[in-house]
Amino acid sequence: MDAVNRNIHLLLNSIQKSDVYRTYKKQEAILEKNPELVSRVQHFRSDNFRLQNEERGNLLQDAEQLARESAELRRNPEVNAYLDAELALCRMMQQICKTLTDGIEIRVPEI
């Protein structure tokens, strides 16, 4: 397990040194200079997460409202850059998780 932990820390260090992560942290710092904007973005992100992960009665209406909110927020270049950087980081993390999952043979029951 020591070798696995060492390699996990090496992977973590590599992620933190990556252009994708550094860009994300830079955009995060820029956005944090405006607390009101941070609050709006966090509220949008929470709503987006809930829409994707909870069953709701008015899915179409909620999705349309979220799309309008996204369009409004993304008109701000700082918000747009932050959300793009966040998406790039999430995609990198998804690829890492997929690579790990694909490389380990374990039987997982179908849901």
Side-chain angles (χ1 to χ4, degrees):
M1 191 64 186
D2 287 343
V4 172
N5 284 332
R6 272 193 308 276
N7 287 312
I8 288 171
H9 289 287
L10 287 172
L11 175 59
L12 181 57
N13 189 277
S14 295
I15 292 167
Q16 291 170 341
K17 289 181 179 179
S18 73
D19 288 341
V20 170
Y21 185 74
R22 288 180 183 204
T23 298
Y24 169 76
K25 293 305 285 182
K26 175 185 169 191
Q27 295 305 324
E28 180 183 56
I30 291 169
L31 189 64
E32 286 179 348
K33 292 177 183 175
N34 186 335
E36 180 184 332
L37 200 52
V38 169
S39 178
R40 288 181 60 208
V41 168
Q42 296 305 340
H43 181 75
F44 166 76
R45 291 174 68 243
S46 293
D47 287 349
N48 188 25
F49 181 83
R50 275 193 293 280
L51 180 69
Q52 294 180 37
N53 293 288
E54 294 178 0
E55 291 185 28
R56 296 165 74 141
N58 297 320
L59 184 61
L60 184 58
Q61 182 181 353
D62 292 346
E64 289 174 351
Q65 173 60 33
L66 198 61
R68 285 190 295 273
E69 193 175 339
S70 175
E72 180 185 336
L73 281 170
R74 282 188 171 270
R75 278 187 239 147
N76 182 308
E78 293 164 347
V79 171
N80 195 50
Y82 170 77
L83 292 174
D84 285 348
E86 179 188 48
L87 180 60
L89 178 59
C90 288
R91 286 186 174 154
M92 182 177 74
M93 296 301 297
Q94 287 173 334
Q95 185 58 49
I96 290 167
C97 290
K98 182 179 181 336
T99 302
L100 287 172
T101 303
D102 289 349
I104 297 172
E105 293 182 26
I106 186 169
R107 291 182 186 202
V108 178
E110 291 185 31
I111 297 176

